[in-house]
Amino acid sequence: MEKVIINGGKTLSGTVDIGGAKNAAVAIIPATLLTRGVCRLENLPDIKDVNIMLGTLKQLGAKVKYINPHTYEIDTTPEVDTEVPDELAKHLRASYYFLGALLGREKCASVAMPGGCDFGVRPIDQHIKGFELLGAKVGFRENAMVEVKAESLLGNQIYLDVVSVGATVNLILAAVLAPGLTTIEQAAKEPHIVDLANFLNLMGAKITGAGTDVIKIHGVKQLKGCTYSIIPDQIEAGTYMVAAAAAGGEVIIRNVIPKHLESITAKLLECGIEVDDDFDDEIHIKSDVRPKRCNVKTLPHPGFPTDMQPQIAVLLSVADGTSIISEGVWDNRFRYVEQLARLGASINVEGKLAVIEGVEHLKGAPIKADDLRAGAAMFIAGLVATGTTEIRGVEHVDRGYEKIVEKLAALGADIKREIVPDPAGSLNEVG
Ligand code: EPU
């Protein structure tokens, strides 16, 4: 187990490069099963979640060839198993994308019920409803295994009762090879949905409307291999934007798609931070005054991302005035507030609302990362707080942020990683 130690109060300056999008990568890796051929995936982030997805693919029987830390060649020509073992599935919520991908390829799959960051109830009823509408039977076996099976699949109209990233991905995966037309209504519009559709279309799929709330999929007979580069990670970029805004300084965030960051840019501008996004693939942040208060409501894309909610809460903790955060996606995403309170933040949570009274300073203390994005927020808090902040549970952060300690250090943060012997604190669940 490791901890990260930050001596806070230093401004940030320089350039940080953003890697490939985790949530696109974890959808695209299982999608390679929809061809019997070779796909070369580039710009994969070198993070735990991606390594687990690649490991699962390998365990199922695909050939996974390492080219460099961000590029792999995946050969899905061999026969593959259709059961994802529990020890792999439990680490990663996205393991349920193997249900859609294997259903599409082999007409059957079983995957243990996914775990995930603990944000309250995380049902998969919309995935199941969609699989059934495509002609599959869904059952539950012992050990919480979900099993999907179909004699054959046939396109259908699917209306999602909630906007779900996971259900949209899984249903696209299941439908691309199903004869006829599948329509997904109230689909999620996140950039990673568009990226998955672009990847599949390059393989020969016929998907239109990705990025809108109606996605149409004309089933094709087969897909071919291709070479594809994953889009930049919206949330990694947003995290560095907020880190620069909160710690102060001047930072260039490079290899980004500014359009994907508009909701974050808008909130930083409201807080009085200088943001220049008039570039093809960069965002410049300048922050030299105390941030102003603002209200934030998280919503599915293009709303403010729930995965940026803990990070912006840190900025608002030291803003001038009272801010309200309203969580519009998950039931319970304020667990990290307890940790911020240890640093002196003043936050009251009422159900899905958090009222933040900005304080002038946070003060370093030992804290822990409860999950991936909460962990990223603790890093930002450590940069802002005066004195020393020790963060445990950093393995959660390593799931989604490549070389975060090195990247922050290169921007001038006083930050280091240390190994601590603590057998009780092992990684358990992921989002
Ligand atoms: N929901 C249902 N029924 C379903 C599916 C979802 O009621 O069948 C509800 C959920 O309970 C939630 C809402 O719909 O209230 C949205 O859930 P969604 O399915 O969109 O979330 P997800 O696919 O499980 C992905 C990301 C999360 C991110 C959410 C929301 C991946 C691998 N995970 O989760 O990312 O918070 O979308 O944008 O793409 C992270 O990266 O840290 C992370 C947790």
Side-chain angles (χ1 to χ4, degrees):
M1 187 192 163
E2 292 175 334
K3 68 179 174 184
V4 160
I5 301 164
I6 304 177
N7 290 309
K10 303 214 161 28
T11 57
L12 302 181
S13 72
T15 300
V16 60
D17 285 315
I18 300 306
K22 168 180 88 81
N23 290 345
V26 297
I28 286 173
I29 291 167
T32 59
L33 284 168
L34 291 164
T35 179
R36 285 173 165 81
V38 180
C39 292
R40 181 184 167 100
L41 299 184
E42 299 173 349
N43 203 34
L44 285 166
D46 186 12
I47 53 175
K48 253 185 202 155
D49 279 15
V50 163
N51 293 333
I52 293 171
M53 290 304 273
L54 289 169
T56 305
L57 205 51
K58 204 167 164 182
Q59 179 129 350
L60 290 176
K63 288 188 188 146
V64 177
K65 186 171 162 199
Y66 170 93
I67 307 292
N68 64 50
H70 302 119
T71 305
Y72 285 81
E73 257 175 28
I74 298 168
D75 183 355
T76 51
T77 318
E79 287 305 304
V80 294
D81 286 343
T82 57
E83 181 165 325
V84 175
D86 184 30
E87 57 296 354
L88 290 168
K90 77 177 177 205
H91 284 299
L92 185 62
R93 188 157 186 84
S95 55
Y96 63 14
Y97 293 155
F98 286 105
L99 281 175
L102 287 166
L103 180 64
R105 174 182 168 124
E106 300 287 343
K107 308 288 170 288
C108 69
S110 35
V111 178
M113 267 294 274
C117 291
D118 182 8
F119 309 143
V121 190
R122 296 187 73 170
I124 59 163
D125 56 305
Q126 299 304 305
H127 306 233
I128 294 172
K129 178 175 93 172
F131 290 148
E132 287 176 343
L133 282 166
L134 293 174
K137 286 203 167 29
V138 183
F140 293 88
R141 287 190 355 222
E142 72 287 358
N143 304 329
M145 290 296 271
V146 186
E147 194 171 58
V148 289
K149 250 188 195 160
E151 291 286 314
S152 59
L153 295 171
L154 187 62
N156 204 344
Q157 188 168 356
I158 304 165
Y159 174 81
L160 297 181
D161 299 323
V162 287
V163 180
S164 160
V165 170
T168 305
V169 167
N170 244 336
L171 298 175
I172 292 175
L173 294 174
V176 275
L177 295 175
L181 172 66
T182 298
T183 308
I184 306 173
E185 291 176 23
Q186 261 230 107
K189 297 181 280 215
E190 270 65 8
H192 27 288
I193 303 285
V194 180
D195 209 36
L196 172 68
N198 287 343
F199 169 67
L200 289 167
N201 282 341
L202 197 60
M203 293 168 88
K206 286 197 175 147
I207 304 171
T208 55
T212 76
D213 39 27
V214 182
I215 297 179
K216 294 195 170 175
I217 304 157
H218 288 270
V220 294
K221 284 217 167 78
Q222 61 180 32
L223 299 177
K224 58 184 189 316
C226 70
T227 295
Y228 192 76
S229 180
I230 309 282
I231 49 163
D233 195 301
Q234 175 201 29
I235 306 300
E236 188 193 16
T239 300
Y240 285 101
M241 287 167 74
V242 173
E250 276 191 67
V251 174
I252 296 172
I253 295 144
R254 201 161 56 181
N255 299 340
V256 301
I257 298 176
K259 175 94 190 137
H260 294 168
L261 300 166
E262 279 174 349
S263 60
I264 303 160
T265 298
K267 286 293 146 189
L268 292 184
L269 289 171
E270 253 183 84
C271 289
I273 310 297
E274 287 180 45
V275 185
D276 188 353
D277 65 353
D278 202 10
F279 302 94
D280 288 342
D281 60 357
E282 289 181 6
I283 293 238
H284 296 198
I285 303 284
K286 187 172 173 199
S287 165
D288 53 11
V289 289
R290 186 175 179 197
K292 296 186 214 153
R293 45 84 48 206
C294 81
N295 295 336
V296 175
K297 181 164 177 59
T298 69
L299 288 168
H301 192 78
F304 188 89
T306 175
D307 293 342
M308 283 299 302
Q309 188 253 93
Q311 300 90 313
I312 198 109
V314 177
L315 179 74
L316 300 178
S317 295
V318 291
D320 188 6
T322 304
S323 308
I324 298 175
I325 296 185
S326 157
E327 172 57 43
V329 177
W330 297 110
D331 286 340
N332 179 8
R333 205 170 191 175
F334 288 121
R335 280 201 309 158
Y336 65 87
V337 160
E338 206 182 306
Q339 303 300 317
L340 289 185
R342 293 168 67 92
L343 304 180
S346 170
I347 308 178
N348 274 311
V349 176
E350 277 286 336
K352 291 165 87 171
L353 283 187
V355 179
I356 306 178
E357 304 280 352
V359 294
E360 293 220 10
H361 300 288
L362 298 179
K363 201 161 171 298
I367 51 176
K368 67 182 167 73
D370 285 319
D371 62 56
L372 169 58
R373 307 303 174 187
M378 295 310 120
F379 276 54
I380 299 175
L383 298 175
V384 172
T386 53
T388 304
T389 298
E390 279 193 19
I391 306 167
R392 299 211 176 207
V394 289
E395 59 279 4
H396 291 292
V397 181
D398 292 334
R399 285 187 33 227
Y401 292 87
E402 183 176 339
K403 293 196 166 59
I404 183 168
V405 170
E406 292 82 349
K407 287 184 183 184
L408 287 171
L411 292 175
D414 182 346
I415 181 169
K416 64 177 179 192
R417 211 181 255 270
E418 266 182 15
I419 298 196
V420 275
D422 182 355
S426 64
L427 176 69
N428 42 38
E429 293 300 344
V430 294

